[in-house]
Every structure is written in C-alpha cells, then in structure tokens.
Amino acid sequence: MSGAWKRWMTAATVLGCSPAALAATQVEPRARLSFEERYDDDFRLAGGVPAGGAPTAAQPTGQLMSKLSPRIGLDAKDPSLKLESFYAADLLVRHGSGRVSLDHRGGLSVNKLLSRRLKVEVSGSIFRVTDPTSLPRESVARSNQPVLYGMSRLYVTNKLSRRVDVGAGYGFEGVKVLEQGTLGGLPAGFVHTPYLEAWLRTTRRLSLGVEYRYQAFLFGDSLDQAHGAFGALRYRLGRHTTTTLRGGPVAFMGQDGTRGLLPRVKLELLHERGTFDMGLVLGHDLVGASGFSNTLWADYAGLTFNKHFSNRFRLYGAASFFRNGKAPNEDAFSVNVGENVSQGYALSAGFTFEVNRYVSMQAAVDRIAQVGMGDVAAGVNLNRNVAAVRLHMTAW
C-alpha cells in the first residue's frame, strides 16, 4: 500500500510536464509527528451526554485527552508546478471515559502554469472525524456525531490581455453524518458549484469583475437549485493590503416549490506583511451540505491573524460567528430569530515556539458556542472549552 501510494503521488507530480520541466522537478517527502495533551469539557464527544442534553450533576465537567498525530506527505515543484499533499491520522484517547477514536485527514493541491497566460489550480481534501467542530467549514451548525466530509476546487484562469483575466471554476462539498459511527441514518448532502468570472484592471489599484454562479444542492432525493449574477470590486489599499467585495441577487428554486430572491454579499480583507498577517471575511449567502437538511441561508463572519515576534515565536488568533436558517429567507432578516435558526461563535488563540527546524511547541485555548435548533441541526448544542499543549517533531 505504501509503495503504491508513493508511485501514484509521483505520477501526479509529473503529469502534464514537458521532458525539460521534468528534469528540474524537485520531489520532497514530508513526515511529522505531533503529540497533544488537552483538557476538554465537552462530554458529548465522549458519549456521556445525548444530543441537545446537558451533563448531570453526577458527571464531571470535563476530562483530559491525549492525541497522537502522524502526518506524511509528498511535495513537488518546478518552475511551472507546485504540488503539496498529505495524509494524517489522529489517535485520540479520552482519559475520563476510556474511549479511543481514530480520525483521518488527507489533502492535495496542485498549481500548474500551462503557459505564460494559462494557469490551473486544483485542490481537494477529505476528512473522517469524530469531532466535527474541527472541520474547515463556514456558517453551518455542527453535529455531535462522526462525520465524513470532502471538498474540492478546480479553477482555470487565462490572461486575455494585460488588463483582462477570465476564469472558470467548479467547487464541490459533501458531508455524511455517521450516526453511531456507521453509514446508516441521515442521507448524504452535496453542493455542486460551477461558475464563470472576468476581471478588468482599471488602474494599478482597482479591478472590477463580474461573475455568474450556479448551485445544485442535494440532500437524499431532494434537489434545490440557485442562479446568481454578481458584480465584484477588488482594491489594493496598500502594498500589503487588499479588499474584495462581491454582491448581487440569487434566485432560489426549491424542489418543494419554494422560490425566492436573496442577496449575496461577501467582503474580504487581506493583509500580508512579513511579521503580521490578517484576514477578515463577512458575508450572507446560500450554503448546503449541513448533514441535517438541504439548502440554508447563512450569515457568517471570521477574523484571523498571525503575529511573528521573531523567527521562532508566533502568536495567532481567530474568531468567527454564524447564523443560518431555512432557504431562501426564513427569519433571515429578523432580529428575534425563530426556533429554526441556528447560530454560534468560536474563539481561539495560541502561540508557537520553534525550538529548531525539526521541533516546535504550541499552546492554544478555544471556546466554541454553537447551538442548532429545530430541524436545522437536530437540536445539537456544542458549547465547549478546550485548552491544549502540543509538541510537533518534523523528520524532514
């Protein structure tokens, strides 16, 4: 299995490269081992509390957990190619309950320059996790059951001229809630999102864009669809700071006959400068693949930052908020939300210290408060606090 996997990854590395480019391709294996000790006061993941319930007075409020995470990967690069891949296993031992679980993560990303004007980007990842709050998802209430989750993206861009870029893309997201760790129970949910866009650079700082997007939401036998037309603006506030704003109407058509219009708005702010990186995102949109129902409207906000105090010491933090409900607009613009609106937030902060190029240490704290009500998330309440220390050891 190991040999076959390596041969497959090597073939993927050189696919599409000319003989001249192959001679310059650098293939580098990666290996890392992480050990984590954490305190977690969420007993739902230990099986001690039913979904939507609360700990009884006889139950302790938390427990210590140990996690061992080996990670292997294969990277490749040449003047026209950048490839990164990994597989990681997470072995989690809960000392309070005695339960042991094994999670799996994997991912692949490829950036390929086919010519001076044409570029292809492909990425994909798959997760089988016991703790769904660890998934890289925006604006969807989580489950307290194990989840199989995957996402992928394909994007092709072409420079028609010095000022005009056109692009075509496809996004995929899929989720299956594994009730009691099996493949039974709730059906799988999927979202297919093809889109087309064009950008015009009007000045050195300002670019204007247009986009058409189609969405197909599937949950079991249910198919909802949406068409959207958007305008976009990208403005460089400074050498290291860029903001992007997208907005426009979305026409929603549900299989049950529900129809409606809703606005899509997304604001992104990105600052990248040496010792300090920051990202901000705010939006309102349609989302799917929640695991419990089909299409949802969603409000979401997220903020992340990284501050490097030296080559070895880095401080990081993140905050996010979401609320969602039944598409297209049920209680979307109401201050007093109904019982079918789900909402929550997450806060995290930590620091990393690199002992040397092979060893680093990390400490982190997290606060998660995510509540699902009604049919949106099956009454799931995932309030929890986590404090963890980690040791990362890199072989190569």
Side-chain angles (χ1 to χ4, degrees), residues 26 67 112 135 154 166 171 183 211 216-217 223 296 318 322-323 336 356-357 377 381 383 396:
Q26 299 178 0
K67 183 164 72 171
K112 174 65 177 177
L135 295 175
L154 168 66
V166 295
L183 291 176
E211 178 187 358
F217 303 92
L223 170 64
L296 303 171
F322 79 91
R323 61 192 293 267
N336 298 319
N356 53 48
R357 61 180 298 185
N381 186 324
N383 296 341
W396 60 80

Side-chain angles (χ1 to χ4, degrees), residues 341-353:
V341 172
S342 186
Q343 58 186 352
Y345 68 87
L347 302 172
S348 63
F351 68 85
T352 300
F353 178 73

Side-chain angles (χ1 to χ4, degrees), residues 33 36 46 59 79 108 151 207 217 224 241 263-264 289 295 300 311 316 321 333 343 346 360 378 389-390:
L33 181 64
E36 174 183 315
Q59 292 173 324
L108 172 70
M151 59 187 301
S207 296
F217 303 92
D224 296 342
T241 308
R264 179 208 182 190
T295 317
Y300 58 91
N311 292 334
Y316 67 90
F321 169 81
F333 308 109
Q343 58 186 352
S360 66
V389 291
R390 304 179 183 103

